[in-house]
């Protein structure tokens, strides 16, 4: 009898792999694409070197006022950012009180000190770090920035601004919107008509209203519902508005994930005798959230950038603070530097969130045969 | 059976499943018509019939994955009603194996097997893992315990699904076309496990078209069509001497090939 002996696998021919093959396949695989490649390289050559020259090679980095920049107008005026850094990052109060700047700095060191071990793979006690990030950290951060509990001069929330305000609004918005969004998404798929209707109404109301309107209403209308004299903090009002708005979007992102879970998963969990909450917590949500990660992170990134809208109620976030600094008499005319710096910070955080979401997606992908 | 604290509520000799004049509708469509069925403890029943005959719906009613509108179903002394507590009590005692395995893809094989014992039976994690490993050995894949379902073949996944059900120490096992989604080469390994289970005296209801399996292990074969039980008999008689024309036609069609 014949026996089956499989042939050994060979490597692909060299013409199919390697850098030359890549360039041929991706940049010059047809006349049109060769032409496009050339045009594109020409445009890069036209614009990139002058930009690098302006932003780095000829740029002004040092000095204390605009005379340095006026002497060398061919370069970017990073002196402006340098001098006004505390104001742009931490707001007017800390910009004006250099002795207190350590407070937000310590706060952010604490934040990154907790964040980095959370992101890095294989850190021990991750659960505890995450828990302290969600519970102790916000309190300590508030104590540091506000100052009263630690016996320092008080910086009221109305004096918070710059990146500090952006961070606080986004952090609270994300932290509260995620659990609220999960409950709303579950509620929208509930078999109980009352709960389902309430969740649908909530989601559709907040999702159908522009954030700028919500912030405006929170600032103008909310005080009308409370007795005269009850002073409602402006930042808290913005937080509530943002959280309501954000939770509706997060809920819809999660609902997409819930809808993608096959019916068989619900049935298998039910057949084992698991009740609704155990089915949801152990079987359905872990899978649904995994699928929803891109959508959820998408809404978080949008939220992070949308915090700039709080300017409508007179709060100055990172963007608005940079703008107002660039409009001061001392630094009038250096808007571009302000916008670029702001854009870079926004981009760093948004790109960081995006990359991290991809890492989690890959880590949670249990369908690969190689893990 | 230390992992099973509750004692059976039924008397000796009483049927473990009693279905009386069961009727079910999907909207206007009458799927199950006046079904009467009693299953004795340790009995092995194979249910067959053309697609759409209501056979899957019938066994899904037994653990209330489907609700019924008329008649009564009593499983292990507990009547199935809207009462969620009763439903979960029944589900705890009734294992189910699905056509598409329905393993939890985000959990390892071992976690798939220990989740319900830990959270429903309140078994300790260590004991649940010991039990799980014992059943994974029984279905001959202990070495896959730490892998994810997506890394296993269809036959292996279905054997894990059987082990997962057995970890709950059920009194009844329901099989809903357990081999229909498998490649031909993998059907045997799943059927072997099921035969082994039958030999140990497990009460089993299998919806399947594996007639060889039916001949080998069934105490009774039930033929369904149009939502009714058309004929039921011991396998010998059922296959060699079907009484109903519809049964004859069905058997001639599936046994021809």
């Amino acid at each position: 009898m014949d026996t089956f002996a499989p042939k050994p696998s060979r490597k692909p021919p060299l013409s199919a792999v390697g850098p030359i093959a890549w360039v041929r396949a991706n940049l010059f695989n047809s006349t049109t694409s060769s032409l496009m490649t050339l045009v594109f390289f020409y445009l890069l050559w036209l614009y990139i070197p002058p930009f690098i020259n302006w932003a780095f090679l000829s740029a002004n980095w040092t000095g204390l006022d605009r005379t340095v920049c006026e002497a060398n107008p061919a370069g970017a005026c990073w002196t402006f950012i340098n001098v006004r850094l505390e104001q742009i990052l931490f707001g007017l109060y800390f910009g004006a009180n250099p002795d207190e700047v350590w407070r937000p700095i310590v706060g952010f060191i604490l934040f990154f000190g907790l964040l980095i071990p959370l992101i890095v793979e294989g850190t021990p006690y991750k659960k505890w770090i995450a828990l302290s990030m969600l519970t102790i950290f916000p309190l300590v951060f508030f104590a540091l920035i506000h100052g009263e509990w630690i016996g320092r001069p008080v910086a009221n929330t109305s004096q918070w601004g710059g990146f500090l305000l952006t961070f606080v609004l986004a952090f609270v918005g994300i932290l509260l919107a995620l659990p609220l969004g999960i409950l709303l998404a579950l509620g929208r798929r509930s078999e109980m008509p009352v709960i389902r209707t309430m969740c649908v109404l909530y989601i559709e109301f907040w999702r159908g209203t522009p954030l700028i309107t919500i912030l405006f209403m929170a600032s103008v209308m909310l005080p009308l519902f409370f007795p005269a004299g009850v002073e409602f903090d402006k930042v808290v009002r913005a937080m509530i508005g943002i959280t309501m708005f954000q939770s509706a979007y997060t809920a819809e992102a999660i609902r997409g994930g819930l809808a993608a879970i096959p019916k068989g998963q619900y049935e298998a969990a039910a057949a084992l005798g698991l009740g609704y909450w155990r089915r949801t917590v152990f079987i359905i949500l872990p899978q649904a959230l995994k699928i929803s990660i891109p959508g959820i992170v998408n809404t978080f990134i949008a939220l992070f950038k949308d915090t700039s809208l709080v300017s409508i109620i007179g709060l100055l976030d990172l963007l608005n603070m940079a703008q107002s600094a660039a409009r001061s008499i001392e630094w009038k005319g250096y808007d571009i530097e302000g916008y670029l710096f702001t854009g870079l910070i926004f981009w760093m955080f948004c790109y960081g969130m995006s990359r991290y979401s991809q890492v989690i997606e890959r880590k949670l992908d249990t369908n690969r045969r190689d893990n | 059976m230390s992992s099973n604290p509750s004692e059976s509520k039924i008397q000796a000799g009483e049927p473990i499943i009693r279905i009386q004049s069961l009727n079910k509708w999907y909207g206007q469509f009458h799927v199950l018509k006046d079904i009467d069925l009693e299953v004795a403890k340790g009995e092995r029943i194979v249910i067959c019939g053309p697609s759409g005959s209501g056979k899957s719906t019938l066994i899904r009613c037994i653990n209330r994955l489907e609700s019924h509108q008329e008649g009564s179903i009593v499983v292990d002394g507990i009547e199935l009603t809207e009462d969620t507590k009763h439903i979960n009590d029944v589900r705890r005692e009734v294992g189910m194996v699905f056509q598409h395995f329905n393993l939890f893809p985000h959990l390892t094989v071992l976690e798939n097997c220990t989740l319900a014992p830990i959270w429903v039976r309140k078994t300790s994690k260590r004991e649940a893992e010991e039990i799980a490993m014992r059943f994974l050995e029984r279905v001959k894949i202990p070495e896959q315990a730490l892998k994810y379902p997506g890394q296993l073949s269809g036959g292996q996944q279905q054997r894990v699904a059987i082990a997962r059900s057995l970890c709950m120490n059920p009194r009844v096992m329901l099989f809903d076309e357990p081999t229909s989604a498998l490649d031909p080469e993998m059907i045997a390994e799943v059927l072997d496990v099921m035969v082994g289970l039958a030999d140990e005296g497990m009460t089993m209801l299998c919806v399947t078209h594996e007639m060889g399996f039916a001949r080998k292990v069934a105490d009774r074969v039930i033929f369904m069509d149009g939502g009714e039980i058309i004929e039921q008999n011991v396998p010998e008689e059922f296959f060699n001497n079907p009484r109903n024309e519809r049964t004859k036609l069905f058997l001639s069609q599936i046994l021809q090939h």
Side-chain angles (χ1 to χ4, degrees):
Chain A
M1 211 198 320
D2 285 344
T3 48
F4 167 63
K7 287 181 183 169
S9 302
R10 288 190 298 126
K11 279 192 173 157
L14 249 179
S15 58
V17 290
I20 295 172
W22 185 88
V23 166
R24 197 177 291 158
N26 292 290
L27 300 181
F28 298 101
N29 64 340
S30 71
T31 327
T32 328
S33 91
S34 306
L35 215 66
M36 294 292 284
T37 303
L38 291 175
V39 169
F40 202 73
F41 274 123
Y42 175 70
L43 287 175
L44 285 180
W45 180 76
L46 209 61
Y47 288 105
I48 297 297
F51 176 78
I52 288 175
N53 184 44
W54 175 81
F56 300 105
L57 303 179
S58 319
N60 306 291
W61 303 90
T62 52
L64 291 172
D65 54 43
R66 59 185 298 141
T67 51
V68 190
C69 298
E70 275 165 355
N72 174 26
C77 183
W78 301 124
T79 314
F80 156 51
I81 303 295
N82 206 358
V83 171
R84 290 297 184 96
L85 191 64
E86 284 83 5
Q87 183 198 340
I88 295 173
L89 289 183
F90 305 134
L92 290 170
Y93 177 84
F94 294 105
N97 296 283
D99 289 349
E100 302 297 324
V101 168
W102 64 268
R103 277 153 53 183
I105 290 176
V106 169
F108 279 110
I109 288 175
L110 204 61
F111 173 70
F112 287 107
L114 288 170
L115 184 70
I116 290 166
L118 273 183
I119 291 175
V120 174
E121 212 162 319
T123 317
Y125 308 115
K126 248 187 189 180
K127 247 184 233 164
W128 295 106
I129 299 175
L131 200 66
S132 42
M133 180 72 130
L134 300 180
T135 53
I136 303 167
F137 168 73
L139 291 174
V140 174
F141 193 82
F142 177 81
L144 276 167
I145 306 297
H146 188 260
E148 194 181 339
W149 297 350
I150 54 169
R152 303 293 305 175
V154 172
N156 274 318
T157 52
S158 56
Q159 292 168 298
W160 298 9
F163 178 73
L164 174 66
L165 183 65
T166 299
F167 171 81
V168 167
L169 290 174
F171 186 84
V172 171
I174 289 171
L175 203 67
L176 297 182
L178 189 60
L180 209 55
I182 290 173
L183 290 178
L184 284 167
L186 290 173
R188 192 166 185 168
R189 291 172 62 84
S190 166
E191 283 169 12
M192 286 175 269
V194 179
I195 291 183
R196 191 173 56 232
T197 313
M198 274 167 46
C199 290
V200 169
L201 287 176
Y202 178 99
I203 292 171
E204 295 304 338
F205 174 79
W206 292 104
R207 208 161 57 122
T209 322
L211 180 57
I212 205 158
T213 316
I214 294 169
L215 290 172
F216 199 62
M217 300 283 259
S219 141
V220 179
M221 299 272 290
L222 210 57
L224 300 180
F225 295 109
F226 291 93
V230 173
E231 194 60 38
F232 223 149
D233 192 295
K234 232 190 220 176
V235 174
V236 173
R237 268 185 264 164
M239 276 176 189
I240 294 172
I242 286 175
T243 303
M244 299 284 191
F245 178 80
Q246 185 63 21
S247 59
Y249 271 93
T250 310
E252 284 301 280
I254 294 169
R255 189 168 68 98
L258 287 173
I261 306 300
K263 203 165 142 246
Q265 292 290 308
Y266 291 88
E267 289 178 351
L272 285 167
L274 293 161
Y276 175 81
W277 284 108
R278 288 190 181 133
R279 286 203 295 271
T280 306
V281 170
F282 295 124
I283 308 301
I284 305 305
L285 274 182
Q287 299 184 59
L289 289 177
K290 184 181 98 184
I291 301 171
S292 329
I293 287 171
I296 296 173
V297 172
N298 196 24
T299 65
F300 286 171
I301 288 176
L303 163 72
F304 190 74
K305 295 185 293 184
D306 280 353
T307 52
S308 296
L309 293 175
V310 293
S311 67
I312 194 83
I313 56 172
L315 295 171
L316 298 179
D317 80 314
L318 174 61
L319 173 67
N320 295 296
M321 194 55 86
Q323 206 172 35
S324 86
R327 283 175 188 169
S328 62
I329 305 162
E330 297 94 318
W331 296 104
K332 210 164 171 43
Y334 293 112
D335 299 69
I336 293 178
E337 284 82 349
Y339 287 135
L340 271 176
F341 179 70
T342 314
L344 183 71
I345 292 186
F346 270 117
W347 180 82
M348 277 180 354
F349 276 84
C350 293
Y351 185 68
M353 282 194 258
S354 159
R355 290 299 308 195
Y356 185 53
S357 90
Q358 286 169 31
V359 171
I360 309 179
E361 269 173 68
R362 258 200 306 277
K363 208 169 85 183
L364 293 180
D365 184 6
T366 53
N367 249 331
R368 285 177 307 152
R369 296 220 159 208
D370 56 316
N371 62 4
Chain B
M1 301 261 171
S2 60
S3 63
N4 191 351
S6 61
E7 274 307 308
S8 184
K9 289 158 198 71
I10 56 168
Q11 305 283 313
E14 242 183 282
I16 192 159
I17 299 171
R18 174 179 282 149
I19 299 172
Q20 282 171 322
S21 34
L22 176 72
N23 278 283
K24 177 176 171 60
W25 288 263
Y26 284 129
Q28 293 293 313
F29 181 58
H30 200 169
V31 251
L32 293 177
K33 298 173 184 164
D34 301 319
I35 303 282
D36 288 296
L37 178 66
E38 288 192 352
V39 181
K41 206 161 185 278
E43 200 178 6
R44 290 147 297 194
I45 294 179
V46 164
I47 305 171
C48 59
S51 62
S53 60
K55 52 196 192 306
S56 284
T57 309
L58 173 61
I59 68 163
R60 287 159 61 86
C61 281
I62 294 172
N63 64 353
R64 192 85 178 181
L65 286 184
E66 303 284 351
S67 58
H68 57 275
Q69 284 83 36
E70 280 178 15
S72 75
I73 303 175
V74 180
V75 181
D76 198 30
I78 306 165
E79 168 146 25
L80 281 168
T81 56
E82 292 289 330
D83 190 334
T84 321
K85 195 185 167 300
H86 284 181
I87 294 172
N88 282 333
D89 284 348
V90 167
R91 285 173 177 170
R92 199 174 302 177
E93 308 301 336
V94 177
M96 186 167 213
V97 175
F98 298 86
Q99 181 178 359
H100 296 287
F101 332 136
N102 297 354
L103 293 176
F104 308 129
H106 62 299
L107 300 178
T108 63
V109 165
L110 189 63
E111 288 165 341
N112 263 278
C113 293
T114 56
L115 182 80
I118 290 173
W119 290 99
V120 179
R121 287 249 187 256
K122 315 287 180 202
T123 316
S124 73
K125 188 171 178 235
R126 231 197 59 212
E127 197 187 343
E129 282 176 354
E130 275 169 26
I131 295 169
M133 285 314 295
R134 210 158 62 222
F135 283 114
L136 287 174
E137 264 158 47
R138 268 258 318 259
V139 300
K140 301 192 183 67
I141 34 176
E143 72 283 359
Q144 312 282 10
L146 298 179
K147 287 196 181 166
Y148 287 96
Q151 297 166 291
L152 307 184
S153 73
Q156 290 173 322
Q157 289 193 44
Q158 192 61 299
R159 283 184 282 152
V160 172
I162 295 173
R164 176 176 70 178
S165 285
L166 293 178
C167 285
M168 283 293 282
N169 196 7
R171 295 184 205 284
V172 179
M173 283 288 285
L174 307 173
F175 292 86
D176 189 1
E177 306 207 27
T179 55
S180 305
L182 295 175
D183 290 339
E185 284 184 320
M186 294 168 180
I187 292 177
E189 64 189 51
V190 172
L191 287 180
D192 280 348
V193 170
M194 290 168 62
V195 170
L197 207 55
D199 289 344
E200 284 169 31
M202 173 67 78
T203 312
M204 294 166 70
L205 280 90
C206 307
V207 171
T208 181
H209 294 129
E210 297 296 334
M211 290 304 138
F213 174 77
R215 270 180 202 277
K216 198 172 348 170
V217 306
D219 295 313
R220 186 158 37 134
V221 182
I222 293 177
F223 175 68
M224 285 182 74
D225 192 20
E228 295 177 58
I229 293 181
I230 307 260
E231 182 165 353
Q232 47 180 320
N233 216 328
V234 291
E236 243 335 80
E237 281 293 297
F238 181 86
F239 288 111
N240 300 339
N241 208 358
R243 286 179 208 142
N244 194 294
E245 278 304 314
R246 184 66 189 89
T247 318
K248 266 183 205 161
L249 179 67
F250 178 76
L251 287 176
S252 73
Q253 276 166 343
I254 62 164
L255 296 177
Q256 231 166 40
H257 302 284

